[in-house]
Amino acid sequence: MLLYNHRVIGIIRKSLKLTQQDMANMLGVSRACFITYENGRSKGIRDFFFERMIAQFGIDLRSTADPHCITFVDGTRLPPPVYQYLRTLELKET
């Protein structure tokens, strides 16, 4: 089973000052579907969602290289202040 750090999704969304509906629209999923990803309760195929996160934001949620950091594929897909913030963010266990 492919795991991902669902907390990152909420952090990204809030950093961009987007609502759940805004983020869902950007990713091409329903708000209800987006909420399942953000809450870590998604039971469906995640490849589409992960590919959309990479295409839209340049962030790979599948990477397990360092579970305490966000993995960027393309940092230019985010506004520079948001990229800087997310790049330096260290994710702690809750």
Side-chain angles (χ1 to χ4, degrees), residues 2-61:
L2 189 61
L3 300 176
Y4 68 102
N5 188 336
H6 67 274
R7 293 181 302 131
V8 170
I9 299 169
I11 291 167
I12 294 164
R13 180 178 65 79
K14 290 171 187 172
S15 297
L16 291 167
K17 297 179 172 69
L18 297 172
T19 65
Q20 289 175 327
Q21 185 64 59
D22 293 337
M23 189 90 156
N25 291 344
M26 292 177 81
L27 296 171
V29 297
S30 70
R31 180 175 177 266
C33 179
F34 174 77
I35 290 170
T36 65
Y37 287 105
E38 189 173 55
N39 292 336
R41 295 189 189 122
S42 173
K43 304 236 186 293
I45 304 292
R46 298 184 183 126
D47 288 338
F48 172 79
F49 184 79
F50 290 140
E51 292 302 321
R52 293 298 300 155
M53 286 295 291
I54 291 170
Q56 191 68 41
F57 304 111
I59 295 172
D60 187 355
L61 296 175

